[in-house]
Amino acid sequence: MPFDVRRFDIYRKVPKDLTQPTYTGAFISILCCVFILFLFLSELTGFIATEIVNELYVDDPDKNSGGKIDVSLNISLPNLHCDLLGLDIQDEMGRHEVGHIDNSMKIPLNHGTGCRFEGEFTINKVPGNFHVSTHSATAQPQKPDMTHNIHMLTFGDKLQMNKVQGAFNALGGSDKLSSNPLASHDYILKIVPTIYESLSGRKRFSYQYTVANKEYVAYSHTGRIVPAIWFRYDLSPITVKYTERRQPFYRFITTICAIVGGTFTVAGIVDSCIFTASEAWKKIQLGKLS
């Protein structure tokens, strides 16, 4: 007797002449297919899209930076001449640089009466400050006007992902044009290291920061102290990491199978109940007629 592999078929077929189609079954079948299509498209959209997962830990993420952080500053002082304006940098490692000029540019504003400073520089990963002032000028003005508008202040790589909610440019748009012209401004920054890892595994190192600020006119025993715009910073030991993730393919397939199988099973139960109830009602009606 030849071996018949069909004996292993667990999906036995019922001949069509032994089945009975109904309008209710057709309606449920169409509704079932539409429902499955809707759930399939929803799952497919979720599978294609990426999600951002964040975590916190204590570490220095960018160890290969040599202990340096890139800084980008863009600030306008509409009532201070460019010849008087300079950037000074100092920190707890002994750095003290007056009149930093590398990778910086001064753009005259208001027919030369004001100045826009744009600069890129590095700071050490230790507490310190950088400040915009007239300290590097050869002659100090009698009434330096420190009213200003900060367009941008960022640290590290620039991240422009809409999904990431963070304070990467917390001082962007700060307007101090109506403040006391002779006042100094202190911006106290708490810098938080941030990593963004894409689906490809590429890491970008940036920094978020929080800000507290105060405005004051300082005096000493020799008279009024020359005002400045101070950015005093300290680093947080906590690192924030954002990771792009996508749903695994096996989970997507599992979900699709569950959707199709579950929907057909529930629809079959509903159709069977309706058909049984209908047949029972017909028998009751026939019994009454007889």
Side-chain angles (χ1 to χ4, degrees), residues 75 156 265 287:
I75 183 172
T265 300

Side-chain angles (χ1 to χ4, degrees), residues 114-273:
C115 188
R116 180 177 180 133
F117 178 87
E118 299 179 7
E120 295 183 354
F121 52 96
T122 60
I123 57 176
N124 295 316
K125 291 183 177 180
V126 295
N129 73 78
F130 51 91
H131 52 277
V132 177
S133 67
T134 61
H135 296 163
S136 61
T138 54
Q140 293 296 317
Q142 292 297 319
K143 293 183 178 180
D145 189 333
M146 285 296 160
T147 55
H148 61 278
N149 187 10
I150 302 174
H151 307 289
M152 180 184 68
L153 176 60
T154 59
F155 299 86
D157 295 335
K158 294 180 176 62
L159 300 180
Q160 297 181 348
M161 275 66 70
N162 296 330
K163 296 180 180 179
V164 177
Q165 300 295 325
F168 295 96
N169 186 23
L171 277 174
S174 296
D175 188 340
K176 297 294 182 180
L177 298 179
S178 59
S179 60
N180 185 346
L182 300 177
S184 290
H185 299 266
D186 263 16
Y187 294 100
I188 317 302
L189 314 179
K190 194 70 172 181
I191 301 175
V192 182
T194 304
I195 304 174
Y196 188 93
E197 184 175 349
S198 64
L199 279 174
S200 63
R202 181 191 176 191
K203 294 182 178 180
R204 303 187 68 182
F205 301 93
S206 186
Y207 296 83
Q208 304 180 63
Y209 61 93
T210 59
V211 185
N213 67 284
K214 63 178 178 178
E215 176 185 334
Y216 60 93
V217 178
Y219 291 91
S220 68
H221 63 280
T222 58
R224 179 172 50 80
I225 297 176
V226 178
I229 304 170
W230 298 82
F231 300 91
R232 307 181 192 273
Y233 60 87
D234 193 5
L235 272 79
S236 169
I238 301 298
T239 295
V240 180
K241 183 177 181 181
Y242 297 98
T243 307
E244 281 188 357
R245 290 182 184 175
R246 181 171 288 165
Q247 180 182 339
F249 183 70
Y250 72 86
R251 186 177 299 173
F252 171 71
I253 294 297
T254 302
T255 305
I256 294 303
C257 291
I259 289 173
V260 175
T263 304
F264 272 118
T265 300
V266 173
I269 293 173
V270 172
D271 180 61
S272 177
C273 292

Side-chain angles (χ1 to χ4, degrees), residues 2 8 13 16 21 30 65 77 91 155 188 215 221 244 260 266 287 289:
F8 294 98
K13 312 302 184 294
K16 286 188 176 181
I30 294 173
S65 65
L77 289 85
D91 59 36
F155 299 86
I188 317 302
E215 176 185 334
H221 63 280
E244 281 188 357
V260 175
V266 173
L289 291 176

